[in-house]
Amino acid sequence: MVNAGDMNGSGNLMDFLDEPFPDVGTYEDFHTIDWLREKSRDTDRHRKITSKSKESIWEFIKSLLDAWSGWVVMLLIGLLAGTLAGVIDLAVDWMTDLKEGVCLSAFWYSHEQCCWTSNETTFDDRDKCPQWQKWSELLVSQSEGASAYILNYFLYIMWALCFAFLAVSLVRVFAPYACGSGIPEIKTILSGFIIRGYLGKWTLLIKTVTLVLVVSSGLSLGKEGPLVHVACCCGNFFSSLFSKYSKNEGKRREVLSAAAAAGVSVAFGAPIGGVLFSLEEVSYYFPLKTLWRSFFAALVAAFTLRSINPFGNSRLVLFYVEYHTPWYMAELFPFILLGVFGGLWGTLFIRCNIAWCRRRKTTRLGKYPVLEVIVITAITAIIAYPNPYTRRSTSELISELFNDCGALESSQLCDYINDPNMTRPVDDIPDRPAGPGVYSAMWQLALALVFKIVITIFTFGMKIPSGLFIPSMAVGAMAGRMVGIGVEQLAYHHHDWIIFRNWCRPGADCVTPGLYAMVGAAACLGGVTRMTVSLVVIMFELTGGLEYIVPLMAAAVTSKWVADAFGKEGIYEAHIHLNGYPFLDVKDEFTHRTLATDVMRPRRGEAPLSVLTQDSMTVEDVETLIKETDYNGFPVVVSKDSERLIGFAQRRELILAIKNARQRQDGVVSNSIVYFTEDPPELPPNSPHPLKLRRILNLSPFTVTDHTPMETVVDIFRKLGLRQCLVTHSGRLLGIITKKDVLRHMAQMANQDPESIMFN
Amino acid sequence: LHPGCEFLFPQAPTMFAKCSQNSVSPVVLLVLLGFLLCPPAQASKSSEDIRCKCICPPYRNISGHIYNKNVSQKDCNCLHVVEPMPVPGNDVEAYCLLCECKYEERSTTTIKVIIIIYLSVVGALLLYMAFLVLVDPLIRKPDPYTQPLHNEEESEDTRSLATVPTPAGARANTVLERVEGAQQRWKRQVQEQRKTVFDRHKMLS
């Protein structure tokens, strides 16, 4: 039992011998962490381990294990993320084909796997084989004709509805946090916010399972954003196994940054792009140590995925292309046009999607999430089936659009008029005039483009896991391919125009429409997410073509400029603002000339600041103060007269400390004096035992003076990750500024002229 | 970590704390997935797992054809795979220039194992969901003591006070009761999440 003690003097020793208050140091749900405290706790822990490591061999080994635990966590994250991505890819492959038919020899094969060993495939019908049958063939033994088409159509819709309904039910019953993309919430978590359960095990399981279901149901969404969430859940799970990370929220966020990199790495097969994405888009603080560890996690994840080999050709992504035909300077003009298109589309998408999501939040539309998913799936399936470009999965569509047409391609898009005497090798086919198939393909692509643009606005943000990379890339690829075919035909039919004469001779392979599709995809993705370097690196890792960096950069830069002209926020920042998360963006600039007095609380006319005194309040006073207010913490001053600041005490720790003291320490009653000094105050005899709470007091709270410009204050909050900051004047405590006050002030200022001077 | 873990095992930095039924099942499934996938990745390749696929387009008066053959990667070229050769000897080189040969491999055991595991996970979740939605409300009598607590759940202080672990002496529950308690806690957590996301629209728009 703890003896509360020697009143005289051995205060410091008793502090160490006190039992640590339980749960001190953990945070409440939906609160911000204190970065400085986490960092200092980690430094303390490290110092303790280093000093103990000199004592014995066992302690030395423990210190080595502690140092390596970071790398072990990265390894485990990479393995699990790669495995889950492989599972998702294989399951999506199978279930997407399940909507159209089934493999009779072994039901777990997708269409391509079923026909793998078949000898009956011909050049014209290279997709057909007898083992794989469409539903109409299976049920009514007819494969052509109107009734077969209608039956296939009907069953396609039924399967899509079944998958979507199952997905939304699972999300609703087991893990409501598994819906959405996950990246806005992960950005907020990495900036220091706590959302308990968002990276939990059930969320991980449900998100993996339902992601397969929704992608297979044919909805216009992707799996890259949710894969980042899945990887961060893996990161959270493994970091909870090691006390170095489980007890320190700041260190845990380093692990989560690396896990996000692993997530993007398996989504795109781009380890370097993944690290850059984590650096640019997702992470808040990214120390250099995390850079190397993220790269390791991303590599391990990519390697694990490759060894599972979901696509049967040792590639990581379905649309890996590998041509090296050069591009010409004059083609920069259509590339820049595609960049402008990407920027415009990005702006349109963000505005419409945010408006629709705001509708969902505030009106009755939000009360019917399951019905909404079912209606959108039905609409998507009904409109998508007739058009062959929307009937197949979006990844396959992008793959076909990225690929260049050789002599072997059988798709309509490659229905060029061939010269029968041609004997050129496969990858050097010259430009050819378009056949009728190409024209009908262009019409279908145009319709598919309009459809995708419209339906993605309503799909992103529903209560199912939904990502946005693949639909954006699809929109861009479709637009790019159409522009590419247009330029190609223009170059073929008018090869004597000045523009083409220099670089495009008849009989040469000048224009590659597949490259235009890639550039379009990069432009649209950049317009929506406002990624810069990471986008270019991901695209060139996807294609393996270093010579295409300049067109990709041109398109990405153009789309970012055009999109930024209309609005500064990318889609993820827009969703953060829509939901009101306390995220202090490092990219926002604060240019107003307000001072700390304008933002601090209490304002003029409000109740004075609730403070604790250092040794003149009783336990009952403190409890009343806690009950009557809901502030997160209280400054501690010398006395009510001289408001000189001593420190800052957190609400949660006060509650726990008082509760603990009432239970454990003898003699602590409601009339006991609470003191925060080293030595107890002078008390009259027969007064109850005082309660020392110096242990929970933060003796170094951040303070600014009342005339500090808000620019500096915002900078301090951003760079140090503060939760609150005290405002003093001549040493006297005036007020407090919390992170929420800063955010509200910035929002308020954004609606006003930055030059107007605010002195109130 | 699952808050239930902190309640049941307050001194637990153990590696695999099997805290509650509800955190065991996802963990076990994940571990199972991980370990079951390592053997298939190194499984010996059966004959139907590798192939060399050569696609040859129409040439002069010969129609297009696809050739599959089960050869190793170094033999995967037009000369080894295209049999019988449809053109006479002096045209073989021109014909083979047009053909494209790719070496592909796959692992049928991996595919089979993954799909079957996935379907069983989905089936298990479906059954559990049916149990929770249909059967559970019937067998549980509504507890009069839990009703007033629902109103107080809004207050953070009572919640934070409630999570302080009780001293070790009060832990006289049987395993079944502890599992029950953990499941109740999990259900409350999910309900809270559902309120935040679906009803109040506080998060995730």
Side-chain angles (χ1 to χ4, degrees), chain A residues 555-607:
Chain A
V557 160
T558 318
S559 82
K560 187 162 160 67
W561 280 344
V562 169
D564 275 349
F566 290 98
K568 284 259 169 243
E569 301 180 321
I571 184 77
Y572 301 126
E573 286 89 22
H575 271 272
I576 287 179
H577 281 141
L578 176 69
N579 287 315
Y581 297 142
F583 179 72
L584 196 54
D585 202 348
V586 289
K587 299 177 199 156
D588 285 342
E589 286 174 8
F590 190 84
T591 49
H592 309 287
R593 296 165 62 93
T594 45
L595 299 180
T597 26
D598 305 323
V599 180
M600 75 174 184
R601 303 236 150 211
R603 304 277 170 84
R604 285 197 205 133
E606 285 181 0

Short mmCIF file of all heavy atoms in Angstrom, two decimals, chain A residues 555-607:
data_model
loop_
_atom_site.label_atom_id
_atom_site.label_comp_id
_atom_site.label_asym_id
_atom_site.label_seq_id
_atom_site.Cartn_x
_atom_site.Cartn_y
_atom_site.Cartn_z
N ALA A 555 1.30 16.68 -68.48
CA ALA A 555 -0.14 16.55 -68.23
C ALA A 555 -0.46 16.76 -66.76
O ALA A 555 -1.43 17.44 -66.42
CB ALA A 555 -0.61 15.17 -68.67
N ALA A 556 0.39 16.21 -65.87
CA ALA A 556 0.09 16.33 -64.44
C ALA A 556 0.17 17.78 -64.01
O ALA A 556 -0.68 18.28 -63.26
CB ALA A 556 1.06 15.47 -63.63
N VAL A 557 1.21 18.50 -64.49
CA VAL A 557 1.37 19.89 -64.09
C VAL A 557 0.21 20.73 -64.62
O VAL A 557 -0.37 21.55 -63.89
CB VAL A 557 2.73 20.41 -64.62
CG1 VAL A 557 2.76 21.90 -64.68
CG2 VAL A 557 3.84 19.92 -63.74
N THR A 558 -0.14 20.50 -65.89
CA THR A 558 -1.25 21.27 -66.47
C THR A 558 -2.54 21.02 -65.71
O THR A 558 -3.28 21.96 -65.39
CB THR A 558 -1.46 20.88 -67.93
OG1 THR A 558 -0.23 20.74 -68.57
CG2 THR A 558 -2.31 21.90 -68.63
N SER A 559 -2.81 19.75 -65.41
CA SER A 559 -4.09 19.47 -64.76
C SER A 559 -4.10 20.07 -63.37
O SER A 559 -5.12 20.58 -62.91
CB SER A 559 -4.35 17.98 -64.71
OG SER A 559 -3.71 17.38 -63.65
N LYS A 560 -2.95 20.07 -62.68
CA LYS A 560 -2.94 20.67 -61.35
C LYS A 560 -3.15 22.17 -61.42
O LYS A 560 -3.89 22.74 -60.61
CB LYS A 560 -1.62 20.36 -60.65
CG LYS A 560 -1.64 20.81 -59.19
CD LYS A 560 -0.54 20.14 -58.40
CE LYS A 560 -0.24 20.90 -57.13
NZ LYS A 560 -1.28 20.90 -56.15
N TRP A 561 -2.50 22.83 -62.42
CA TRP A 561 -2.70 24.28 -62.54
C TRP A 561 -4.15 24.62 -62.84
O TRP A 561 -4.72 25.52 -62.23
CB TRP A 561 -1.82 24.83 -63.66
CG TRP A 561 -0.41 25.04 -63.25
CD1 TRP A 561 0.08 25.09 -61.98
CD2 TRP A 561 0.69 25.23 -64.11
NE1 TRP A 561 1.43 25.31 -62.01
CE2 TRP A 561 1.84 25.40 -63.29
CE3 TRP A 561 0.84 25.29 -65.51
CZ2 TRP A 561 3.10 25.62 -63.83
CZ3 TRP A 561 2.10 25.51 -66.03
CH2 TRP A 561 3.22 25.67 -65.20
N VAL A 562 -4.72 23.88 -63.79
CA VAL A 562 -6.11 24.19 -64.17
C VAL A 562 -7.04 23.93 -62.99
O VAL A 562 -7.91 24.74 -62.67
CB VAL A 562 -6.52 23.33 -65.38
CG1 VAL A 562 -8.00 23.41 -65.63
CG2 VAL A 562 -5.76 23.79 -66.61
N ALA A 563 -6.83 22.82 -62.30
CA ALA A 563 -7.72 22.49 -61.18
C ALA A 563 -7.52 23.46 -60.03
O ALA A 563 -8.49 23.86 -59.38
CB ALA A 563 -7.48 21.06 -60.72
N ASP A 564 -6.26 23.87 -59.78
CA ASP A 564 -6.04 24.80 -58.67
C ASP A 564 -6.63 26.16 -58.95
O ASP A 564 -6.92 26.92 -58.02
CB ASP A 564 -4.53 24.94 -58.41
CG ASP A 564 -3.99 23.85 -57.51
OD1 ASP A 564 -4.83 23.12 -56.93
OD2 ASP A 564 -2.76 23.71 -57.39
N ALA A 565 -6.80 26.49 -60.24
CA ALA A 565 -7.40 27.78 -60.55
C ALA A 565 -8.84 27.84 -60.07
O ALA A 565 -9.36 28.92 -59.80
CB ALA A 565 -7.34 28.02 -62.05
N PHE A 566 -9.49 26.69 -59.94
CA PHE A 566 -10.90 26.68 -59.54
C PHE A 566 -11.08 26.41 -58.06
O PHE A 566 -12.09 26.78 -57.49
CB PHE A 566 -11.66 25.63 -60.33
CG PHE A 566 -11.83 25.98 -61.77
CD1 PHE A 566 -10.99 25.46 -62.74
CD2 PHE A 566 -12.82 26.85 -62.16
CE1 PHE A 566 -11.14 25.79 -64.06
CE2 PHE A 566 -12.97 27.18 -63.48
CZ PHE A 566 -12.14 26.67 -64.44
N GLY A 567 -10.16 25.75 -57.43
CA GLY A 567 -10.31 25.42 -56.02
C GLY A 567 -9.05 24.80 -55.51
O GLY A 567 -8.43 24.00 -56.20
N LYS A 568 -8.69 25.13 -54.28
CA LYS A 568 -7.38 24.70 -53.81
C LYS A 568 -7.37 23.29 -53.29
O LYS A 568 -6.32 22.71 -53.06
CB LYS A 568 -6.94 25.62 -52.66
CG LYS A 568 -6.47 26.96 -53.11
CD LYS A 568 -4.95 27.03 -53.13
CE LYS A 568 -4.47 28.27 -53.81
NZ LYS A 568 -3.71 28.09 -54.97
N GLU A 569 -8.55 22.70 -53.04
CA GLU A 569 -8.54 21.44 -52.32
C GLU A 569 -8.64 20.26 -53.25
O GLU A 569 -9.40 20.27 -54.19
CB GLU A 569 -9.76 21.36 -51.40
CG GLU A 569 -9.82 22.47 -50.40
CD GLU A 569 -11.04 22.30 -49.55
OE1 GLU A 569 -12.09 21.90 -50.10
OE2 GLU A 569 -10.93 22.54 -48.36
N GLY A 570 -7.89 19.22 -52.92
CA GLY A 570 -8.09 17.96 -53.60
C GLY A 570 -9.30 17.27 -53.00
O GLY A 570 -9.91 17.76 -52.06
N ILE A 571 -9.60 16.08 -53.50
CA ILE A 571 -10.83 15.41 -53.05
C ILE A 571 -10.72 15.01 -51.59
O ILE A 571 -11.69 15.09 -50.83
CB ILE A 571 -11.13 14.19 -53.96
CG1 ILE A 571 -12.44 13.54 -53.57
CG2 ILE A 571 -10.05 13.16 -53.89
CD1 ILE A 571 -13.64 14.28 -54.03
N TYR A 572 -9.54 14.63 -51.14
CA TYR A 572 -9.41 14.17 -49.77
C TYR A 572 -9.51 15.33 -48.79
O TYR A 572 -10.16 15.23 -47.74
CB TYR A 572 -8.11 13.39 -49.58
CG TYR A 572 -8.02 12.19 -50.48
CD1 TYR A 572 -6.94 11.99 -51.32
CD2 TYR A 572 -9.03 11.25 -50.50
CE1 TYR A 572 -6.87 10.90 -52.15
CE2 TYR A 572 -8.97 10.15 -51.34
CZ TYR A 572 -7.89 9.99 -52.16
OH TYR A 572 -7.83 8.91 -53.00
N GLU A 573 -8.88 16.46 -49.13
CA GLU A 573 -9.01 17.62 -48.25
C GLU A 573 -10.46 18.10 -48.23
O GLU A 573 -10.96 18.55 -47.19
CB GLU A 573 -8.11 18.77 -48.71
CG GLU A 573 -6.64 18.58 -48.45
CD GLU A 573 -5.97 17.86 -49.59
OE1 GLU A 573 -6.52 17.91 -50.70
OE2 GLU A 573 -4.92 17.27 -49.36
N ALA A 574 -11.12 18.01 -49.38
CA ALA A 574 -12.52 18.44 -49.43
C ALA A 574 -13.37 17.58 -48.52
O ALA A 574 -14.26 18.08 -47.82
CB ALA A 574 -13.03 18.38 -50.87
N HIS A 575 -13.12 16.27 -48.51
CA HIS A 575 -13.91 15.41 -47.61
C HIS A 575 -13.56 15.68 -46.16
O HIS A 575 -14.43 15.58 -45.29
CB HIS A 575 -13.67 13.94 -47.96
CG HIS A 575 -14.63 13.45 -49.00
ND1 HIS A 575 -15.86 12.93 -48.69
CD2 HIS A 575 -14.55 13.42 -50.33
CE1 HIS A 575 -16.49 12.60 -49.80
NE2 HIS A 575 -15.72 12.89 -50.82
N ILE A 576 -12.29 16.02 -45.88
CA ILE A 576 -11.94 16.35 -44.50
C ILE A 576 -12.71 17.58 -44.05
O ILE A 576 -13.25 17.63 -42.93
CB ILE A 576 -10.41 16.58 -44.38
CG1 ILE A 576 -9.69 15.23 -44.48
CG2 ILE A 576 -10.06 17.26 -43.09
CD1 ILE A 576 -8.21 15.36 -44.39
N HIS A 577 -12.81 18.58 -44.93
CA HIS A 577 -13.56 19.78 -44.55
C HIS A 577 -15.04 19.50 -44.43
O HIS A 577 -15.72 20.03 -43.56
CB HIS A 577 -13.34 20.89 -45.57
CG HIS A 577 -12.05 21.58 -45.38
ND1 HIS A 577 -11.26 22.00 -46.40
CD2 HIS A 577 -11.37 21.89 -44.25
CE1 HIS A 577 -10.17 22.55 -45.92
NE2 HIS A 577 -10.21 22.50 -44.63
N LEU A 578 -15.54 18.65 -45.30
CA LEU A 578 -16.97 18.31 -45.23
C LEU A 578 -17.31 17.66 -43.90
O LEU A 578 -18.33 17.95 -43.29
CB LEU A 578 -17.31 17.36 -46.39
CG LEU A 578 -18.71 16.83 -46.45
CD1 LEU A 578 -19.64 17.94 -46.78
CD2 LEU A 578 -18.81 15.74 -47.48
N ASN A 579 -16.45 16.77 -43.44
CA ASN A 579 -16.74 16.08 -42.20
C ASN A 579 -16.30 16.85 -40.97
O ASN A 579 -16.59 16.44 -39.85
CB ASN A 579 -16.03 14.72 -42.18
CG ASN A 579 -16.70 13.74 -43.10
OD1 ASN A 579 -17.90 13.64 -43.09
ND2 ASN A 579 -15.91 13.03 -43.88
N GLY A 580 -15.57 17.94 -41.17
CA GLY A 580 -15.17 18.75 -40.04
C GLY A 580 -14.10 18.12 -39.18
O GLY A 580 -14.05 18.35 -37.98
N TYR A 581 -13.23 17.31 -39.75
CA TYR A 581 -12.16 16.72 -38.95
C TYR A 581 -11.17 17.82 -38.57
O TYR A 581 -10.92 18.73 -39.34
CB TYR A 581 -11.41 15.66 -39.74
CG TYR A 581 -12.24 14.48 -40.14
CD1 TYR A 581 -12.06 13.89 -41.38
CD2 TYR A 581 -13.20 13.94 -39.30
CE1 TYR A 581 -12.79 12.81 -41.76
CE2 TYR A 581 -13.93 12.85 -39.69
CZ TYR A 581 -13.74 12.29 -40.92
OH TYR A 581 -14.47 11.22 -41.30
N PRO A 582 -10.56 17.71 -37.38
CA PRO A 582 -9.59 18.73 -36.96
C PRO A 582 -8.24 18.51 -37.60
O PRO A 582 -7.30 18.05 -36.97
CB PRO A 582 -9.53 18.54 -35.45
CG PRO A 582 -9.87 17.12 -35.24
CD PRO A 582 -10.85 16.75 -36.29
N PHE A 583 -8.13 18.85 -38.86
CA PHE A 583 -6.90 18.60 -39.61
C PHE A 583 -6.32 19.93 -40.01
O PHE A 583 -6.95 20.70 -40.74
CB PHE A 583 -7.27 17.76 -40.84
CG PHE A 583 -6.10 17.44 -41.72
CD1 PHE A 583 -5.15 16.52 -41.32
CD2 PHE A 583 -5.95 18.04 -42.95
CE1 PHE A 583 -4.08 16.22 -42.12
CE2 PHE A 583 -4.88 17.74 -43.76
CZ PHE A 583 -3.96 16.82 -43.35
N LEU A 584 -5.14 20.21 -39.51
CA LEU A 584 -4.48 21.49 -39.81
C LEU A 584 -3.56 21.23 -40.99
O LEU A 584 -2.51 20.64 -40.84
CB LEU A 584 -3.71 21.92 -38.57
CG LEU A 584 -3.25 23.36 -38.48
CD1 LEU A 584 -4.40 24.28 -38.68
CD2 LEU A 584 -2.61 23.57 -37.14
N ASP A 585 -3.98 21.64 -42.16
CA ASP A 585 -3.25 21.27 -43.36
C ASP A 585 -1.94 22.04 -43.46
O ASP A 585 -1.90 23.24 -43.26
CB ASP A 585 -4.14 21.58 -44.58
CG ASP A 585 -3.74 20.77 -45.78
OD1 ASP A 585 -2.66 20.15 -45.74
OD2 ASP A 585 -4.50 20.76 -46.75
N VAL A 586 -0.87 21.33 -43.81
CA VAL A 586 0.41 22.01 -43.95
C VAL A 586 0.46 22.81 -45.24
O VAL A 586 1.31 23.67 -45.40
CB VAL A 586 1.59 21.02 -43.92
CG1 VAL A 586 1.78 20.46 -42.55
CG2 VAL A 586 1.37 19.92 -44.91
N LYS A 587 -0.47 22.52 -46.17
CA LYS A 587 -0.39 23.23 -47.44
C LYS A 587 -1.13 24.56 -47.40
O LYS A 587 -0.96 25.39 -48.27
CB LYS A 587 -0.99 22.36 -48.55
CG LYS A 587 -0.26 21.07 -48.72
CD LYS A 587 -0.92 20.21 -49.78
CE LYS A 587 -0.47 18.77 -49.63
NZ LYS A 587 -1.38 17.81 -50.17
N ASP A 588 -2.02 24.74 -46.40
CA ASP A 588 -2.73 26.00 -46.34
C ASP A 588 -1.80 27.10 -45.92
O ASP A 588 -0.99 26.93 -45.01
CB ASP A 588 -3.86 25.92 -45.31
CG ASP A 588 -5.01 25.11 -45.84
OD1 ASP A 588 -5.08 24.93 -47.07
OD2 ASP A 588 -5.82 24.66 -45.03
N GLU A 589 -1.97 28.26 -46.53
CA GLU A 589 -1.16 29.39 -46.09
C GLU A 589 -2.04 30.34 -45.33
O GLU A 589 -3.17 30.60 -45.71
CB GLU A 589 -0.59 30.12 -47.31
CG GLU A 589 0.52 29.34 -47.96
CD GLU A 589 0.95 30.03 -49.24
OE1 GLU A 589 0.49 31.15 -49.50
OE2 GLU A 589 1.74 29.42 -49.97
N PHE A 590 -1.51 30.87 -44.26
CA PHE A 590 -2.29 31.80 -43.45
C PHE A 590 -1.69 33.17 -43.64
O PHE A 590 -0.56 33.43 -43.25
CB PHE A 590 -2.21 31.38 -41.98
CG PHE A 590 -3.15 32.15 -41.12
CD1 PHE A 590 -4.47 31.74 -41.02
CD2 PHE A 590 -2.74 33.26 -40.43
CE1 PHE A 590 -5.35 32.44 -40.22
CE2 PHE A 590 -3.62 33.96 -39.64
CZ PHE A 590 -4.93 33.55 -39.54
N THR A 591 -2.44 34.06 -44.27
CA THR A 591 -1.84 35.34 -44.63
C THR A 591 -2.56 36.51 -43.99
O THR A 591 -2.41 37.63 -44.41
CB THR A 591 -1.90 35.52 -46.15
OG1 THR A 591 -3.23 35.25 -46.58
CG2 THR A 591 -0.95 34.57 -46.84
N HIS A 592 -3.35 36.27 -42.98
CA HIS A 592 -4.09 37.38 -42.39
C HIS A 592 -3.34 37.97 -41.24
O HIS A 592 -2.45 37.35 -40.66
CB HIS A 592 -5.46 36.87 -41.92
CG HIS A 592 -6.18 36.11 -42.96
ND1 HIS A 592 -6.74 36.70 -44.04
CD2 HIS A 592 -6.38 34.78 -43.12
CE1 HIS A 592 -7.27 35.79 -44.80
NE2 HIS A 592 -7.08 34.61 -44.27
N ARG A 593 -3.71 39.20 -40.89
CA ARG A 593 -2.90 39.91 -39.91
C ARG A 593 -3.57 39.94 -38.55
O ARG A 593 -3.52 40.94 -37.87
CB ARG A 593 -2.64 41.32 -40.41
CG ARG A 593 -1.82 41.33 -41.68
CD ARG A 593 -1.88 42.69 -42.34
NE ARG A 593 -1.32 43.72 -41.47
CZ ARG A 593 -0.04 44.10 -41.52
NH1 ARG A 593 0.79 43.54 -42.36
NH2 ARG A 593 0.37 45.04 -40.71
N THR A 594 -4.19 38.88 -38.17
CA THR A 594 -4.82 38.86 -36.85
C THR A 594 -3.79 38.49 -35.80
O THR A 594 -2.72 37.96 -36.10
CB THR A 594 -5.95 37.83 -36.81
OG1 THR A 594 -5.48 36.63 -37.42
CG2 THR A 594 -7.15 38.32 -37.56
N LEU A 595 -4.14 38.81 -34.55
CA LEU A 595 -3.23 38.52 -33.44
C LEU A 595 -3.81 37.42 -32.57
O LEU A 595 -4.98 37.05 -32.70
CB LEU A 595 -3.02 39.78 -32.58
CG LEU A 595 -2.43 40.98 -33.29
CD1 LEU A 595 -2.29 42.11 -32.31
CD2 LEU A 595 -1.07 40.63 -33.87
N ALA A 596 -2.99 36.99 -31.62
CA ALA A 596 -3.45 35.90 -30.74
C ALA A 596 -4.64 36.34 -29.90
O ALA A 596 -5.51 35.54 -29.57
CB ALA A 596 -2.30 35.44 -29.85
N THR A 597 -4.72 37.64 -29.55
CA THR A 597 -5.86 38.07 -28.74
C THR A 597 -7.17 37.90 -29.46
O THR A 597 -8.21 37.77 -28.83
CB THR A 597 -5.78 39.57 -28.39
OG1 THR A 597 -5.03 40.21 -29.37
CG2 THR A 597 -5.24 39.78 -27.02
N ASP A 598 -7.13 37.95 -30.80
CA ASP A 598 -8.38 37.87 -31.54
C ASP A 598 -8.96 36.46 -31.52
O ASP A 598 -10.13 36.27 -31.81
CB ASP A 598 -8.16 38.28 -32.99
CG ASP A 598 -7.55 39.66 -33.08
OD1 ASP A 598 -7.91 40.51 -32.25
OD2 ASP A 598 -6.70 39.86 -33.96
N VAL A 599 -8.13 35.48 -31.26
CA VAL A 599 -8.59 34.10 -31.40
C VAL A 599 -8.74 33.43 -30.06
O VAL A 599 -9.43 32.45 -29.92
CB VAL A 599 -7.57 33.32 -32.26
CG1 VAL A 599 -7.98 31.89 -32.46
CG2 VAL A 599 -7.44 34.00 -33.60
N MET A 600 -8.07 33.97 -29.04
CA MET A 600 -8.02 33.21 -27.80
C MET A 600 -9.37 33.21 -27.12
O MET A 600 -10.22 34.07 -27.35
CB MET A 600 -6.97 33.81 -26.87
CG MET A 600 -7.41 35.09 -26.23
SD MET A 600 -6.21 35.60 -25.04
CE MET A 600 -7.05 37.01 -24.38
N ARG A 601 -9.54 32.23 -26.25
CA ARG A 601 -10.73 32.17 -25.41
C ARG A 601 -10.32 32.46 -24.00
O ARG A 601 -9.29 31.98 -23.58
CB ARG A 601 -11.30 30.77 -25.47
CG ARG A 601 -11.60 30.36 -26.87
CD ARG A 601 -12.97 29.97 -27.01
NE ARG A 601 -13.52 30.20 -28.31
CZ ARG A 601 -14.78 30.48 -28.45
NH1 ARG A 601 -15.52 30.60 -27.40
NH2 ARG A 601 -15.27 30.62 -29.63
N PRO A 602 -10.99 33.13 -23.14
CA PRO A 602 -12.31 33.66 -23.38
C PRO A 602 -12.28 34.98 -24.13
O PRO A 602 -11.40 35.79 -23.92
CB PRO A 602 -12.86 33.85 -21.98
CG PRO A 602 -11.65 34.09 -21.16
CD PRO A 602 -10.55 33.32 -21.79
N ARG A 603 -13.25 35.19 -25.01
CA ARG A 603 -13.36 36.47 -25.69
C ARG A 603 -13.95 37.47 -24.71
O ARG A 603 -14.37 37.13 -23.61
CB ARG A 603 -14.31 36.35 -26.90
CG ARG A 603 -13.93 35.31 -27.87
CD ARG A 603 -12.89 35.83 -28.83
NE ARG A 603 -12.34 34.79 -29.63
CZ ARG A 603 -12.90 34.33 -30.74
NH1 ARG A 603 -14.02 34.87 -31.17
NH2 ARG A 603 -12.34 33.36 -31.41
N ARG A 604 -14.01 38.70 -25.16
CA ARG A 604 -14.63 39.70 -24.31
C ARG A 604 -16.11 39.37 -24.15
O ARG A 604 -16.81 39.14 -25.10
CB ARG A 604 -14.53 41.08 -24.97
CG ARG A 604 -13.16 41.59 -24.85
CD ARG A 604 -13.07 43.05 -25.10
NE ARG A 604 -11.70 43.29 -25.53
CZ ARG A 604 -11.37 44.01 -26.58
NH1 ARG A 604 -12.30 44.56 -27.31
NH2 ARG A 604 -10.11 44.16 -26.91
N GLY A 605 -16.55 39.43 -22.94
CA GLY A 605 -17.97 39.13 -22.71
C GLY A 605 -18.23 37.70 -22.32
O GLY A 605 -19.34 37.33 -21.95
N GLU A 606 -17.21 36.86 -22.41
CA GLU A 606 -17.44 35.47 -22.01
C GLU A 606 -16.99 35.29 -20.56
O GLU A 606 -16.32 36.14 -19.98
CB GLU A 606 -16.62 34.53 -22.89
CG GLU A 606 -17.21 34.38 -24.27
CD GLU A 606 -16.37 33.41 -25.09
OE1 GLU A 606 -15.37 32.91 -24.56
OE2 GLU A 606 -16.73 33.19 -26.25
N ALA A 607 -17.37 34.15 -20.00
CA ALA A 607 -16.97 33.84 -18.63
C ALA A 607 -15.46 33.75 -18.56
O ALA A 607 -14.81 33.38 -19.53
CB ALA A 607 -17.59 32.51 -18.21
#
